[in-house]
Amino acid sequence: EQEKKIFLELIKRSEVALGVSDSHDIGYKLPEENEVYPEGIETFKRNLFDKSDVLSMNSLEKKVANILDKKENIVWWVRNPSGGKQWYAVKGWKKGRIKPDFVVAKKNKKNELELVYVIESKGEHLIDNPDTKYKKEVFDKINSKKVESITAKLIKFKLNKNFGFELVEQGNEDIDINKFFSDKE
């Protein structure tokens, strides 16, 4: 609770901010390749990489990947493995980082990048546990903040308001994903 209070106070005083940058020097960049072993036949068409590490996915992650792969308004998706420092992570107020399960790029009707979603999937047996509640709270806090351009130590961050951090619950995968990736927009 103390860490959370300090974290929220730092946000309030603008000492902690969400920064999204297209700079290769300061922004996050997905790895250029994904090593998959053993290699299998790729069944996904919208996966960012040529091969998916399907064997390391749990049943919920496989279901979410299949649902995402069928959405016409998705440019690409990538599974964000929990191991390895090169993969995407979010820092909240607790020690360690949140490594969401998927990063997904959505396109609009003009085929332009509209939104990038960061998705954490949780099994129904984990919905009410403290770790899931913490992740949802961090995502809600990120989503609720107004994103503005900031300058820090002579570095200008170009902030992109088109990010969403979402928790997908087992049993509601279709509903939750359709809420984010409705083709009827």
Side-chain angles (χ1 to χ4, degrees):
E1 286 303 312
Q2 288 175 331
E3 291 170 335
K4 178 181 174 184
K5 186 177 177 181
I6 291 167
F7 182 82
L8 296 177
E9 184 60 32
L10 290 171
I11 290 173
K12 187 176 177 181
R13 294 194 320 244
S14 298
E15 292 180 35
V16 171
L18 171 63
V20 180
S21 173
D22 58 2
S23 166
H24 293 284
D25 298 325
I26 60 173
Y28 173 77
K29 182 180 171 193
L30 283 169
E32 292 184 18
E33 55 186 28
N34 184 22
E35 189 173 321
V36 176
Y37 181 82
E39 286 193 31
I41 298 170
E42 181 60 32
T43 58
F44 299 115
K45 63 181 179 179
R46 298 188 199 288
N47 180 19
L48 184 62
F49 295 109
D50 292 335
K51 299 283 183 185
S52 301
D53 195 0
V54 178
L55 294 177
S56 70
M57 290 185 193
N58 64 38
S59 60
L60 176 57
E61 290 169 340
K62 287 177 191 171
K63 185 169 184 179
V64 169
N66 279 307
I67 293 169
L68 291 172
D69 206 62
K70 291 179 179 138
K71 293 287 176 190
E72 293 296 323
N73 60 350
I74 288 181
V75 181
W76 56 260
W77 63 266
V78 64
R79 179 161 174 265
N80 189 51
S82 59
K85 291 183 179 182
Q86 77 272 26
W87 294 97
Y88 185 74
V90 177
K91 183 72 179 119
W93 53 87
K94 290 186 177 182
K95 187 177 180 178
R97 299 183 181 275
I98 299 170
K99 295 239 180 166
D101 296 323
F102 296 94
V103 179
V104 186
K106 179 183 177 185
K107 63 183 175 181
N108 62 21
K109 298 259 185 224
K110 298 176 187 174
N111 283 332
E112 301 164 328
L113 180 64
E114 176 181 284
L115 191 64
V116 174
Y117 277 101
V118 177
I119 296 176
E120 173 73 9
S121 57
K122 283 293 172 192
E124 55 191 8
H125 63 292
L126 299 172
I127 295 303
D128 290 324
N129 84 7
D131 182 63
T132 302
K133 289 179 181 180
Y134 165 67
K135 290 175 180 179
K136 180 162 182 13
E137 212 173 341
V138 170
F139 285 4
D140 288 347
K141 179 52 76 178
I142 292 170
N143 287 335
S144 72
K145 296 307 294 175
K146 182 180 177 197
V147 180
E148 300 174 8
S149 292
I150 58 171
T151 303
K153 296 182 183 175
L154 304 176
I155 298 173
K156 181 77 174 178
F157 286 88
K158 178 182 176 187
L159 296 182
N160 184 339
K161 298 178 184 181
N162 299 325
F163 276 76
F165 293 76
E166 306 296 340
L167 193 82
V168 172
E169 297 180 10
Q170 185 175 22
N172 292 330
E173 305 94 337
D174 289 310
I175 295 167
D176 288 346
I177 292 172
N178 283 332
K179 184 172 47 177
F180 314 138
F181 300 103
S182 172
D183 293 325
K184 298 184 182 354
E185 294 175 27

